[in-house]
Structures are given as C-alpha cells and as structure tokens.
Amino acid sequence: MEKNTTSSSRYGQQGQPHRLQAALISLQTIAYKETHRYMRIWVQTLVPPAIIMTLYFVIFGALIGERIGPMEGYSYMEYIAPGIIMLSIITNSYNNVVSSFFGAKFQRHIEELIVSPTPNLVILLGYVSGGVGRGLCTGAIVTLIALMFTSLPVHNWAITLSVVVLTSILFSIGGLINAIFAKKFDDIAIIPTFVLTPLTYLGGVFYSISLLPEFWQNVSLANPILYMVNAFRFGILGSSDVHILLSYAMMIAFILALGGLALYLLNKGTGLRA
C-alpha cells in the first residue's frame, strides 16, 4: 500500500512537467503557424502597409509639413514619424489576429483546436504571438522608410521597444475578441472602420493635443491610443503630451482587462460552439 502511494505521488510529480512540455509544444506550433501564415503571403501583409505609410510621409510630412512648421521643437516630419510607425503597428497587429482567427472559425478547423487538450491560454498566446510578430515586422519596415525622410534620434531604447511590444499585444488581443464575436466577414471590418480608425487619427498621430482647446484636450485624454502614441514618441524624441508612467499604466490595464475577457470567452466557448 505504501509502495502504491509513493508510486502514485511520483507519477503526479512527473505528470506536471509533461503537461507543461505539451503546452509549450502547442504554443510553438500555433505561433509557427501564425508566423508562417503572414510571411507566406508577405506581398499582401507587409508590402501594402509600407506603401500606405510612405504616402503618409510624402503627403503629410514632405508636402504639408513644410507649411505647418516645427512642432514641440521638432520638424513636423520628425514629430509625426513615431505616430505613423505606431499607426502601422496597431493596424497590422489587429488585422492579423482578427482575420486569422475568424478564418479558422469560418473553415471550422478551430473546433479541432478547442476539443484538443490545448489550454485556452495557450491558444490565446499563440494567436497573439502571430499578431505581435506581424506588428513588429511592419513597424521595422515603416521605421526604415521613415529614416529615408527624416532622422529618428532614439531617446530611450527600453521605452521604445517595450511600448511597441505592449501595443502589439493589446491590439492582437482586441483582434481576437472581434473575431470571436464576428459571425460573417463583414463583421471583422466594423471595429477597425468605426472604432479603431477614428481613435487612431484622433490619438495625436499628426498633431499635439496642446494645440487643441482645453475642452478637447480633456476629451482626447479619454482616447487610449493617445497614450500609446505619446509613449512611443517619448521613447524616440523625448517629447510627450501625457506622463510616461500614466501611458504604461493605461496599456497594462487594457492588456489585463482585454486578456481576461478573451480568456473568459474562450473558456465559455462564445461564438465557437454551436
């Protein structure tokens, strides 16, 4: 009897590492699939954002920027470059996950993943890793394009890189939540069109909120994207309309809130089970 108890205890101790190893293999598999997905069609996923952001630099920076003049002590091109880079990161992180996860729902192979022993947290992390990867790749490409138009003297590398990663994580989770609730392909375009785009353009990408009347400055502070854009701008230029610690607090709070919501929806099976 004593031998059986010892043997059972030893089996339980060995079972935990095996489950952890299986979860890591599942995470690696999903992350590889998501990375291979956007890299395989890089002409559709990485080239278009580069072209669009180049047009932003040409039109807003080179043509209109000369008439606007300096802003916050920097040339207009320097000032908007961090915002345009962040715009590409936000858009591509979100779009990668929402299209991939909804595609899996539409083709009904997401059901195989759900009924497998793979923990929902691993599923969430796997899809988010794909969105973060595409966001970082797009951000790097747009940064290289920005350097063709202006110089970017990085003020703080740690802040710059951490803000990019946190922003990519946040909008990747947002894309997953959108995909969970979406019932048709048109539904995955509602949030980017009517919510994400207005918030991004009103988030201080092309201007400083100090130029606005006091009332609209206070209204702008309710826009979460404002904190991400300004945190990234602070990392590169050392200039921000909001306190950097407040920006980090907002990003982390939104990641925890949306991450918890996404995990709850996956556990409940919302939009995934008939």
Side-chain angles (χ1 to χ4, degrees):
M1 183 69 178
E2 183 178 353
K3 181 178 179 179
N4 292 337
T5 303
T6 304
S7 178
S8 175
S9 174
R10 184 176 302 167
Y11 176 80
Q13 293 175 357
Q14 292 177 348
Q16 187 66 26
H18 286 310
R19 287 194 295 270
L20 179 59
Q21 183 180 11
L24 291 176
I25 292 174
S26 299
L27 176 59
Q28 182 181 6
T29 303
I30 298 172
Y32 174 80
K33 177 183 75 71
E34 289 301 298
T35 302
H36 180 70
R37 172 184 171 273
Y38 70 80
M39 292 300 294
R40 179 173 53 86
I41 54 174
W42 60 272
V43 176
Q44 303 176 34
T45 56
L46 301 180
V47 174
I51 296 175
I52 294 173
M53 297 307 155
T54 301
L55 293 175
Y56 279 128
F57 283 117
V58 172
I59 296 173
F60 290 97
L63 300 180
I64 300 178
E66 294 181 358
R67 300 189 177 186
I68 295 177
M71 184 170 293
E72 300 292 330
Y74 300 93
S75 69
Y76 189 67
M77 181 73 80
E78 285 181 311
Y79 189 82
I80 67 171
I84 293 177
I85 296 171
M86 185 57 64
L87 174 61
S88 68
I89 293 171
I90 290 172
T91 304
N92 286 274
S93 297
Y94 191 95
N95 288 341
N96 189 78
V97 179
V98 69
S99 59
S100 177
F101 195 84
F102 181 78
K105 280 179 54 179
F106 183 78
Q107 297 170 5
R108 304 190 70 84
H109 62 76
I110 191 65
E111 298 174 358
E112 301 174 2
L113 189 59
I114 293 174
V115 299
S116 71
T118 305
N120 288 327
L121 178 61
V122 172
I123 297 175
L124 173 62
L125 293 176
Y127 275 93
V128 167
S129 67
V132 171
R134 180 172 166 183
L136 294 178
C137 287
T138 307
I141 293 172
V142 177
T143 300
L144 293 177
I145 294 173
L147 291 174
M148 297 170 60
F149 293 90
T150 185
S151 60
L152 294 175
V154 179
H155 174 71
N156 189 305
W157 278 104
I159 292 177
T160 301
L161 296 177
S162 62
V163 169
V164 167
V165 173
L166 290 175
T167 302
S168 299
I169 292 174
L170 174 58
F171 284 94
S172 295
I173 298 173
L176 182 68
I177 294 175
N178 187 179
I180 288 175
F181 284 109
K183 296 182 179 180
K184 54 184 183 297
F185 277 102
D186 291 341
D187 293 341
I188 68 176
I190 293 177
I191 299 298
T193 302
F194 296 102
V195 178
L196 200 57
T197 300
L199 288 179
T200 302
Y201 281 92
L202 297 175
V205 173
F206 299 103
Y207 60 89
S208 170
I209 63 170
S210 62
L211 300 176
L212 301 175
E214 183 177 356
F215 173 79
W216 291 111
Q217 288 186 35
N218 295 329
V219 172
S220 298
L221 293 176
N223 184 352
I225 295 181
L226 174 74
Y227 298 91
M228 303 166 205
V229 171
N230 275 275
F232 187 63
R233 181 174 288 130
F234 180 84
I236 293 181
L237 302 179
S239 174
S240 176
D241 291 328
V242 293
H243 198 283
I244 186 64
L245 293 181
L246 179 59
S247 297
Y248 271 104
M250 291 290 290
M251 287 186 287
I252 294 173
F254 272 99
I255 288 174
L256 294 177
L258 293 183
L261 175 60
L263 193 58
Y264 169 78
L265 294 173
L266 289 174
N267 290 334
K268 191 177 179 180
T270 302
L272 305 177
R273 301 189 179 101

